[in-house]
Amino acid sequence: DEEFDELCFEFGLELDEITSEKDIISKEKGGEKAKGASDTVLYKIDVPANRYDLLCLEGLVRGLQIFKERINIPRYEKIIPAEGERQKLIITAETVQVRPHAVAAVLRNITFTKERYDSFIDLQEKLHQNICRRRKLVAIGTHDLDTISGPFTFTAKAPSEIKFKPLNQSKEYTASQIMDLYRTDSHLRHYLHLIENKPLYPVIYDSNGVVLSMPPIINGDHTKISIKTRNVFIECTGTDITKAKIVLDTIVTMFSEYCEKPFTVEAAEVVYPNGKTHIYPELAYRKEKVKPELINKKLGISETPSSLAKLLTRMCLKSDVIGNGNNLEVEIPPTRSDIMHACDIIEDAAIAYGYNNIQMTIPKTYTMANQLPLNKLTELLRLDLAAAGFTEALTFALCSQEDIADKLGMDISATNAVRIANPKTAEFQVARTTLVPGLLKTIAANRKMPLPLKLFEISDIVVKDPNTDVGARNYRHLGAVYYNKSPGFEIMHGLLDRVMQLLGTPPHEENGYTIKATEASAFFPGRCAEIFAKGQSIGKLGVLHPDVITKFELTMPCSALEINIEPFV
């Protein structure tokens, strides 16, 4: 286990944990539910989001074997059958509105076992969640080619006109009924919205009118693949042709090693509505040139061009030294869609060299790091407020409109709050304009604690500001509340005096701070004061209005203080 962990680290991956199905279930649902679950050891490996070629066991093992120099880099080959014999996928003009793109390929004479089959299905699921963006950009369909006959047609029809037996179902349904059927399905219901409100649904037929699939929802049961399947027809439909090509390349390169002639893929022809044709998969190899001195300079190492070429070859990037050692010619295989730029090649050279093997050096530039003055002041105040007997709270920067407006007796337009355009929950609709609601919600959640409750928070609030480049501005506020059987105005006043003492601001009209009686909707009439310092209003303190207290589901009197500390930096 330790050796494998080390190998993963060297290869730029992370072995997250060593567990088993039993362990996972007992952690999530308790020991009782885990009875009878498998004890087989499972490795949880963290794979970078752009390495689609490592998302299945086949690709991961192949990558590690090449890295360890146990096998050579395979050469992926597409076999293009003669004109009349190749599989065709014809795209009709109706698909333009829903899912305009499609690509296809065939894996001939493949041999599945239970493990290979499970891995094949699992890779599709991982790609759907990852690069396919939950099937929004691309949806994958795999079919048993021996149960159908081409040419295939990718078209779009009204839901009532599509009728077929969906995967693992016992009878036929129309497309509309299928949508209703899967509305309660824990797995498929997440994809229904992709086509639900479209007038036409995408569908793929063979030459006899058998439905292969209704992307991106479900395949037909007729073409279901199994362990016995020998020839697999793969189609990827989507709204993004580049992603569709990457997905197709990934699937065929990963599983072509199980074909009778390993690493060969049978190409299919796609016919577009305008009559143009294209052969897929592309399986494109391309060559990039990188200067060895650039790699050495960027990484801070000094390797010879031939040893850099060897390092890159270990990372599946076949490299040769050309032009008197001035250049490296790097071949990018179809499995490495993540290599877009010389930087990506340099990164792979760094991984193969080993980050731990790069010598640490002192930077040539001499700089002094310093804490931001506002943060330094915040840290100092936090310590002293805690020493004054107050407990620090950390609350969310987002809240509901009610929290900062209705519950404080204000109108939302008067708060000048920044709104979230598409909030996921009612709890997070706006950025907070005051710290008091967050503290009151914290008290409401801790009503069982012994009184008095004394809380404070020093954090940012956000308000609209048309004069800034982003249209909003942050202010660092200090907020505190006191909750007890008596309002405790004097305690808040004492806290303000202590904070001002710490800030070196004496009680003085001109050179210090003063408080003046005022009225505010959140505070009890005659029990509210505005605080002035540095020639400006910096905040308020007072006893909260009973309406405010009840709206936050509290039952005792409460006093609050909130000031802006930025003028004191």
Side-chain angles (χ1 to χ4, degrees), residues 133-136 179 183 188-198 201 216-217:
R133 294 288 180 274
R134 302 181 71 104
R135 304 192 190 180
K136 185 178 177 181
M179 292 305 228
R183 220 173 287 286
L188 292 174
R189 65 192 164 100
H190 304 295
Y191 310 118
L192 301 184
H193 70 94
L194 295 173
I195 59 168
E196 201 167 16
N197 300 321
K198 302 269 191 329
Y201 286 3
I217 311 299

Side-chain angles (χ1 to χ4, degrees), residues 137-428:
L137 303 182
V138 187
I140 310 159
T142 52
H143 312 280
D144 188 334
L145 187 56
D146 300 327
T147 63
I148 41 181
S149 59
F152 306 100
T153 311
F154 175 42
T155 183
K157 289 187 169 186
S160 54
E161 291 174 29
I162 303 170
K163 192 171 187 190
F164 67 102
K165 185 159 118 185
L167 194 62
N168 301 330
Q169 294 295 329
S170 52
K171 60 174 192 170
E172 289 195 347
Y173 296 89
T174 65
S176 317
Q177 290 169 328
I178 287 171
M179 292 305 228
D180 293 334
L181 176 71
Y182 291 126
R183 220 173 287 286
T184 52
D185 186 288
S186 63
H187 176 58
L188 292 174
R189 65 192 164 100
H190 304 295
Y191 310 118
L192 301 184
H193 70 94
L194 295 173
I195 59 168
E196 201 167 16
N197 300 321
K198 302 269 191 329
L200 303 177
Y201 286 3
V203 62
I204 301 174
Y205 291 102
D206 80 346
S207 57
N208 301 324
V210 173
V211 172
L212 275 69
S213 69
M214 184 174 83
I217 311 299
I218 190 83
N219 287 352
D221 192 67
H222 182 85
T223 62
K224 177 166 71 175
I225 65 167
S226 67
I227 296 178
K228 297 191 179 75
T229 300
R230 294 286 290 149
N231 301 300
V232 182
F233 178 67
I234 303 165
E235 41 80 12
C236 301
T237 60
T239 53
D240 183 327
I241 186 68
T242 310
K243 298 267 196 300
K245 287 182 200 170
I246 293 171
V247 167
L248 184 68
D249 279 354
T250 304
I251 292 176
V252 297
T253 50
M254 291 303 107
F255 286 89
S256 55
E257 74 170 285
Y258 300 136
C259 292
E260 200 164 36
K261 196 173 171 201
F263 305 114
T264 60
V265 183
E266 184 182 311
E269 183 179 346
V270 173
V271 184
Y272 291 98
N274 60 9
K276 285 189 179 165
T277 65
H278 200 299
I279 301 284
Y280 291 106
E282 289 192 340
L283 290 186
Y285 281 87
R286 70 174 207 277
K287 296 203 163 151
E288 297 277 349
K289 288 192 177 70
V290 188
K291 292 201 176 304
E293 61 261 33
L294 178 72
I295 299 178
N296 281 328
K297 185 181 165 203
K298 293 276 184 206
L299 301 181
I301 58 178
S302 50
E303 291 289 296
T304 61
S306 59
S307 87
L308 286 172
K310 196 175 173 194
L311 290 176
L312 288 168
T313 304
R314 287 176 60 203
M315 297 300 289
C316 303
L317 302 174
K318 193 168 180 299
S319 306
D320 295 299
V321 183
I322 55 167
N324 302 333
N326 299 335
N327 254 331
L328 289 178
E329 188 177 64
V330 183
E331 186 177 55
I332 317 293
T335 47
R336 295 299 305 273
S337 59
D338 58 303
I339 306 274
M340 299 175 184
H341 186 274
C343 285
D344 300 311
I345 295 171
I346 296 168
E347 184 192 7
D348 268 15
I351 291 169
Y353 184 80
Y355 284 116
N356 288 347
N357 300 328
I358 298 172
Q359 289 296 313
M360 286 191 186
T361 54
I362 292 170
K364 303 236 179 355
T365 45
Y366 184 68
T367 58
M368 294 287 280
N370 223 334
Q371 198 175 9
L372 201 66
L374 180 61
N375 287 346
K376 188 170 183 184
L377 178 65
T378 302
E379 296 297 321
L380 293 168
L381 280 171
R382 286 172 62 222
L383 288 170
D384 277 294
L385 284 170
F390 280 72
T391 304
E392 185 172 24
L394 270 175
T395 60
F396 291 119
L398 298 178
C399 59
S400 69
Q401 291 190 19
E402 280 189 341
D403 290 342
I404 56 164
D406 307 355
K407 289 184 180 177
L408 298 180
M410 285 171 74
D411 187 59
I412 187 71
S413 55
T415 60
N416 217 7
V418 176
R419 293 173 187 236
I420 308 294
N422 50 347
K424 273 265 162 79
T425 68
E427 285 297 298
F428 299 140

